Amino acid sequence: MTQQLDIRSIMDRLPHRYPMLLVDRVIDLVPQKKITAIKNISVSDPYMQGVHGLPPALIVEAMAQAAALFSFADEGDQQRPGKGKAVYYFLGIDDASFIKPVVAGDQLRIEVAALRLSRALCKYRGQAFVKDELVAQASILCAIRDAAEPAGA
């Protein structure tokens, strides 16, 4: 079963807010498999001022935010059965490549697929497209912890 999320549902699930909320809409979410999200790039976004394209680090951050939404897809408001609120930690990236610049007026389509999922660690493959052209890709490693659990535990 696929799901879609509007901006209000996204904001209910992620702590990020403008200008660092980098997912505007989820157009397809298949729990345990993949997510497809959209980010509209505007010239009025503060991170676009004085630059010729969306900084690559923000493309990876958009992938990580989409992955977080994907990770909590079965958990509604980030509640884990038998535990409190979950916290999502971005641990690192591998094999990142940035093929073409993303500029104001582009619509970034972010596709994230699960490579390995567990209750504590998750690995994803993220790809970003403008129209149907691949502009960036990376493998993303994340950890999920109970909010009350110390980060080093």
Side-chain angles (χ1 to χ4, degrees):
M1 181 174 98
T2 65
Q3 301 175 29
Q4 295 183 358
L5 300 174
D6 62 14
I7 191 65
R8 290 179 196 257
S9 296
I10 292 166
M11 290 175 69
D12 287 344
R13 290 169 171 80
L14 292 179
H16 306 78
R17 294 295 178 260
Y18 179 83
M20 290 310 298
L21 180 58
L22 299 173
V23 176
D24 294 333
R25 185 169 29 118
V26 173
I27 58 174
D28 186 35
L29 192 158
V30 181
Q32 304 296 311
K33 301 234 185 281
K34 66 178 180 127
I35 186 170
T36 303
I38 299 295
K39 171 62 182 160
N40 295 305
I41 310 303
S42 172
V43 70
S44 62
D45 289 330
Y47 41 78
M48 294 298 290
Q49 304 303 307
V51 297
H52 298 292
L54 183 65
L58 294 182
I59 297 172
V60 173
E61 175 64 22
M63 290 179 197
Q65 288 180 21
L69 289 165
F70 171 76
S71 295
F72 298 125
D74 291 334
E75 300 168 6
D77 63 354
Q78 298 181 350
Q79 294 291 332
R80 297 193 298 172
K83 296 193 173 195
K85 276 203 176 267
V87 178
Y88 185 81
Y89 294 99
F90 179 51
L91 299 179
I93 61 171
D94 286 318
D95 305 319
S97 60
F98 305 97
I99 299 137
K100 290 191 76 171
V102 177
V103 297
D106 285 344
Q107 184 178 71
L108 192 64
R109 187 178 81 242
I110 304 140
E111 297 181 2
V112 178
L115 296 178
R116 183 182 62 205
L117 299 175
S118 76
R119 293 187 64 78
L121 289 174
C122 302
K123 188 170 186 178
Y124 309 95
R125 183 69 183 157
Q127 295 182 304
F129 298 86
V130 171
K131 297 184 181 166
D132 287 326
E133 192 167 352
L134 182 67
V135 296
Q137 59 188 354
S139 293
I140 301 168
L141 183 62
C142 303
I144 301 172
R145 300 281 189 265
D146 184 61
E149 185 179 325

